[in-house]
Amino acid sequence: MNQSTQTAVRETNHIKSLTLTAVFIALTYVFTAFVNIRLPIAANGGLIHLGNVPLFIGAMIFGKRTGAIAGGVGMAMFDLLSGWTAWAPFTLVIVGLMGFTVGLIAEKHRGLGWYALAVIVACVIKVAGYYLAEVILYGNWLTPAGSIPGNLVQIGTAAVLTLPIVGRLRTAAEKFGPGRRTC
């Protein structure tokens, strides 16, 4: 393969990667904005949504970069567009870190056990991150504890929906996905 062809292949793969990341940003936003339940608990209410499902799938299949960007940007965009504006910077960092970590683990290891471990680590990041964010926003250490059950339910639900299918989706993506040459 000559240098011109290699450059064209790299550019095509880059465009495919950007497109997939954009799709996962959109899916994360949509699943957060439109597949949710508002809870009458905690200091400012709470929200259980399914935005973590596309976040986890994108991170486990396409890696840490897609996971970080899709999670952080997709959910921060929800915060900005839905009246949770004060949460957007925290969400960008916390959920971006969740996506990065899930993707990092999935890039290095395969299998249900590793994917489950990745989700558990993401859960720890979410609970600790949002607890600290609420301490900053509300100015006390007790009120944020009320959000922990909702965060656990949110990640648990995403795990139940994601873990049984992600292995097959990853296999299909590798077989037919963006890195595969069709000509």
Side-chain angles (χ1 to χ4, degrees), residues 35-37 39 41 46-53 56 98 119 123-124 126-127 145-162:
V35 188
N36 67 53
I37 300 170
L39 301 174
I41 62 171
L47 185 71
I48 294 181
H49 59 77
L50 295 183
N52 292 300
V53 172
F56 290 159
M98 287 169 53
V119 169
C123 185
V124 170
K126 182 178 196 78
V127 169
S147 296
I148 293 172
N151 287 333
L152 295 172
V153 168
Q154 196 173 101
I155 297 294
T157 301
V160 166
L161 295 172
T162 302

Coordinates of all heavy atoms in Angstrom, one line a residue, residues 35-37 39 41 46-53 56 98 119 123-124 126-127 145-162:
V35 N -35.8 8.9 28.1 CA -36.0 7.7 28.8 C -35.6 7.8 30.3 O -34.6 7.3 30.7 CB -35.3 6.5 28.1 CG1 -35.8 5.2 28.7 CG2 -35.5 6.5 26.6
N36 N -36.4 8.5 31.0 CA -36.1 8.8 32.4 C -37.3 8.9 33.3 O -38.4 9.1 32.8 CB -35.2 10.1 32.5 CG -36.0 11.3 32.1 OD1 -37.1 11.6 32.6 ND2 -35.5 12.1 31.1
I37 N -37.0 8.9 34.6 CA -38.0 9.1 35.6 C -37.5 10.1 36.6 O -36.4 9.9 37.1 CB -38.3 7.8 36.4 CG1 -38.8 6.7 35.4 CG2 -39.3 8.0 37.5 CD1 -38.9 5.3 36.0
L39 N -37.3 11.7 40.2 CA -37.6 11.2 41.6 C -37.9 12.4 42.5 O -37.1 13.4 42.4 CB -36.4 10.4 42.1 CG -36.1 9.2 41.2 CD1 -34.8 8.6 41.8 CD2 -37.2 8.2 41.3
I41 N -37.0 12.9 45.4 CA -36.1 12.7 46.6 C -34.9 13.6 46.5 O -34.7 14.2 45.5 CB -35.6 11.2 46.7 CG1 -34.8 10.8 45.5 CG2 -36.7 10.3 47.0 CD1 -34.1 9.5 45.6
G46 N -34.3 14.1 41.8 CA -33.3 13.1 41.3 C -33.8 12.7 39.9 O -34.9 13.0 39.5
L47 N -33.0 12.0 39.2 CA -33.3 11.5 37.9 C -32.7 10.2 37.6 O -31.5 10.0 37.8 CB -32.8 12.5 36.8 CG -33.2 12.3 35.4 CD1 -34.7 12.6 35.2 CD2 -32.4 13.2 34.4
I48 N -33.5 9.2 37.3 CA -33.0 7.9 36.8 C -33.3 7.9 35.3 O -34.4 8.1 34.9 CB -33.7 6.8 37.6 CG1 -33.4 6.8 39.0 CG2 -33.3 5.4 36.9 CD1 -34.0 5.7 39.9
H49 N -32.2 7.6 34.6 CA -32.3 7.6 33.1 C -31.5 6.4 32.6 O -30.8 5.8 33.3 CB -31.8 8.9 32.5 CG -30.4 9.2 32.9 ND1 -29.3 8.6 32.3 CD2 -29.9 10.0 33.8 CE1 -28.2 9.0 32.8 NE2 -28.5 9.9 33.8
L50 N -31.7 6.2 31.3 CA -31.0 5.1 30.6 C -29.8 5.6 29.8 O -29.3 4.8 28.9 CB -32.0 4.3 29.8 CG -33.0 3.5 30.6 CD1 -33.9 2.7 29.6 CD2 -32.4 2.6 31.6
G51 N -29.4 6.8 30.0 CA -28.2 7.3 29.2 C -27.0 6.5 29.4 O -26.1 6.6 28.5
N52 N -26.8 5.8 30.5 CA -25.6 5.0 30.7 C -25.6 3.8 29.8 O -24.5 3.2 29.6 CB -25.5 4.6 32.2 CG -25.3 5.7 33.1 OD1 -24.3 6.4 32.9 ND2 -26.2 6.0 34.0
V53 N -26.7 3.4 29.2 CA -26.7 2.2 28.4 C -25.9 2.5 27.1 O -24.9 1.8 26.8 CB -28.2 1.7 28.1 CG1 -28.2 0.6 27.0 CG2 -28.8 1.3 29.3
F56 N -22.1 3.0 28.0 CA -21.4 1.8 28.3 C -21.2 1.0 27.0 O -20.1 0.5 26.8 CB -22.1 0.9 29.3 CG -22.1 1.4 30.7 CD1 -23.1 1.0 31.6 CD2 -21.2 2.4 31.1 CE1 -23.1 1.5 32.9 CE2 -21.2 2.9 32.4 CZ -22.2 2.4 33.3
M98 N -16.2 8.3 33.7 CA -16.8 6.9 33.7 C -16.6 6.3 32.3 O -16.2 5.1 32.3 CB -18.3 7.1 34.0 CG -18.7 7.4 35.4 SD -20.5 7.8 35.6 CE -21.3 6.5 34.8
V119 N -18.2 -1.7 34.8 CA -19.4 -1.1 35.2 C -19.4 -0.8 36.7 O -19.8 0.3 37.2 CB -20.7 -1.9 34.9 CG1 -21.9 -1.4 35.6 CG2 -20.9 -2.0 33.4
C123 N -19.6 2.8 38.5 CA -20.5 3.1 39.5 C -19.9 3.8 40.7 O -20.4 4.8 41.2 CB -21.2 1.8 40.0 SG -22.5 2.0 41.2
V124 N -18.7 3.4 41.0 CA -17.9 4.0 42.1 C -17.6 5.5 41.7 O -17.8 6.4 42.5 CB -16.6 3.2 42.5 CG1 -15.7 4.0 43.4 CG2 -17.0 1.9 43.0
K126 N -19.3 7.3 39.6 CA -20.5 8.1 39.6 C -21.0 8.5 41.0 O -21.3 9.6 41.3 CB -21.6 7.3 38.9 CG -23.0 8.1 38.9 CD -24.0 7.3 38.1 CE -25.1 8.1 37.7 NZ -24.9 8.9 36.5
V127 N -21.0 7.5 41.9 CA -21.5 7.8 43.3 C -20.5 8.8 44.0 O -21.0 9.8 44.6 CB -21.6 6.4 44.1 CG1 -21.8 6.7 45.6 CG2 -22.7 5.6 43.5
A145 N -26.1 12.3 50.4 CA -26.3 10.8 50.7 C -27.6 10.4 50.1 O -27.8 9.2 49.7 CB -26.2 10.5 52.1
G146 N -28.6 11.3 50.0 CA -29.9 10.9 49.5 C -29.9 10.6 48.0 O -30.8 9.9 47.5
S147 N -28.9 11.0 47.3 CA -28.8 10.7 45.9 C -28.1 9.3 45.6 O -28.2 8.8 44.4 CB -28.0 11.8 45.2 OG -28.7 13.0 45.2
I148 N -27.5 8.8 46.5 CA -26.8 7.5 46.3 C -27.7 6.4 45.8 O -27.3 5.7 44.8 CB -25.9 7.1 47.5 CG1 -24.8 8.2 47.7 CG2 -25.3 5.7 47.4 CD1 -24.0 8.0 49.0
P149 N -28.8 6.1 46.4 CA -29.7 5.0 46.0 C -30.1 5.2 44.5 O -30.1 4.2 43.7 CB -30.9 5.1 46.9 CG -30.4 5.7 48.1 CD -29.4 6.7 47.7
G150 N -30.4 6.4 44.1 CA -30.8 6.7 42.7 C -29.7 6.4 41.7 O -29.9 5.8 40.7
N151 N -28.4 6.8 42.1 CA -27.3 6.5 41.3 C -27.0 5.0 41.2 O -26.7 4.5 40.1 CB -26.0 7.2 41.8 CG -26.1 8.7 41.6 OD1 -26.7 9.2 40.7 ND2 -25.5 9.5 42.5
L152 N -27.2 4.3 42.3 CA -27.0 2.8 42.2 C -28.0 2.2 41.3 O -27.7 1.3 40.5 CB -27.1 2.3 43.6 CG -25.9 2.7 44.6 CD1 -26.2 2.2 46.0 CD2 -24.6 2.2 44.1
V153 N -29.3 2.6 41.4 CA -30.4 2.1 40.6 C -30.1 2.4 39.1 O -30.2 1.5 38.2 CB -31.7 2.6 41.0 CG1 -32.8 2.3 39.9 CG2 -32.1 2.1 42.4
Q154 N -29.6 3.6 38.8 CA -29.3 4.0 37.5 C -28.2 3.1 36.8 O -28.4 2.6 35.7 CB -28.9 5.4 37.5 CG -28.9 6.1 36.2 CD -28.6 7.6 36.4 OE1 -27.5 8.0 36.1 NE2 -29.6 8.3 36.8
I155 N -27.1 2.9 37.6 CA -26.0 2.1 37.0 C -26.4 0.6 37.0 O -26.1 -0.1 36.1 CB -24.8 2.3 37.9 CG1 -24.3 3.7 37.8 CG2 -23.7 1.3 37.5 CD1 -23.8 4.2 36.4
G156 N -27.1 0.2 38.0 CA -27.6 -1.2 38.1 C -28.5 -1.6 36.9 O -28.4 -2.6 36.2
T157 N -29.4 -0.7 36.6 CA -30.3 -0.9 35.4 C -29.5 -0.9 34.1 O -29.8 -1.7 33.3 CB -31.4 0.3 35.4 OG1 -32.1 0.2 36.6 CG2 -32.3 0.1 34.2
A158 N -28.6 0.0 34.0 CA -27.8 0.0 32.8 C -27.0 -1.2 32.7 O -26.8 -1.8 31.6 CB -26.8 1.2 32.8
A159 N -26.5 -1.8 33.8 CA -25.7 -3.0 33.8 C -26.6 -4.2 33.3 O -26.2 -5.0 32.5 CB -25.1 -3.3 35.1
V160 N -27.8 -4.2 33.8 CA -28.7 -5.3 33.5 C -29.0 -5.3 32.0 O -29.2 -6.3 31.3 CB -30.0 -5.3 34.3 CG1 -31.1 -6.1 33.8 CG2 -29.7 -5.6 35.8
L161 N -29.2 -4.1 31.4 CA -29.5 -4.0 30.0 C -28.3 -4.1 29.1 O -28.4 -4.6 28.0 CB -30.2 -2.6 29.8 CG -31.5 -2.4 30.4 CD1 -32.0 -1.0 30.3 CD2 -32.6 -3.4 29.9
T162 N -27.1 -3.7 29.6 CA -25.9 -3.7 28.7 C -25.1 -5.0 28.7 O -24.8 -5.5 27.6 CB -25.0 -2.6 29.2 OG1 -25.7 -1.3 29.1 CG2 -23.7 -2.5 28.3

